[in-house]
Amino acid sequence: MLKRLLKSEFIRFAVVGAIATGIHYGLYLLLKLVINVNLAYTLGYLTSLACNFWLTARFTFKSGVSALKGVGFVLSHAVNYLLHIGLLNLFLKMGIPSSLAPIPVYCIAIPVNFLLVRTVFRKF
């Protein structure tokens, strides 16, 4: 039962994540044309965060939104953001083009984020 629940939540998390990642990556690609890549990445991340919270609560974990969940979500995403920006800069230093560098970041950070966000929505 728990295994099926985890699989179902992870699939819904992946759908929400794809939407949030699309918003984030699209804004990043547009903004990096006119501003610094770190700032572009950050603004894209923050914009996708609001949509991500609502969809995560309602669709992924089928729960309501609350201030406590919001704080937990933002704190888990603060940790996730630091992982994102650190990896982005690592991949840029490794010579990966700025338009492609977010892709391996997402591959690493998204599973970590699932564990953090799941903890928030299951504990609070």
Side-chain angles (χ1 to χ4, degrees), residues 3-15:
K3 188 176 180 180
R4 191 171 69 174
L5 175 65
L6 273 172
K7 182 179 178 184
S8 175
E9 284 177 349
F10 190 79
I11 290 169
R12 291 191 307 267
F13 180 84
V15 170

Side-chain angles (χ1 to χ4, degrees), residues 23-32 37 40-41 44 88 98-99 102:
I23 291 167
H24 180 204
Y25 190 55
L27 283 172
Y28 166 75
L29 289 175
L30 288 173
L31 292 173
K32 80 177 191 75
V37 294
Y41 199 85
L88 176 70
S98 64
S99 58

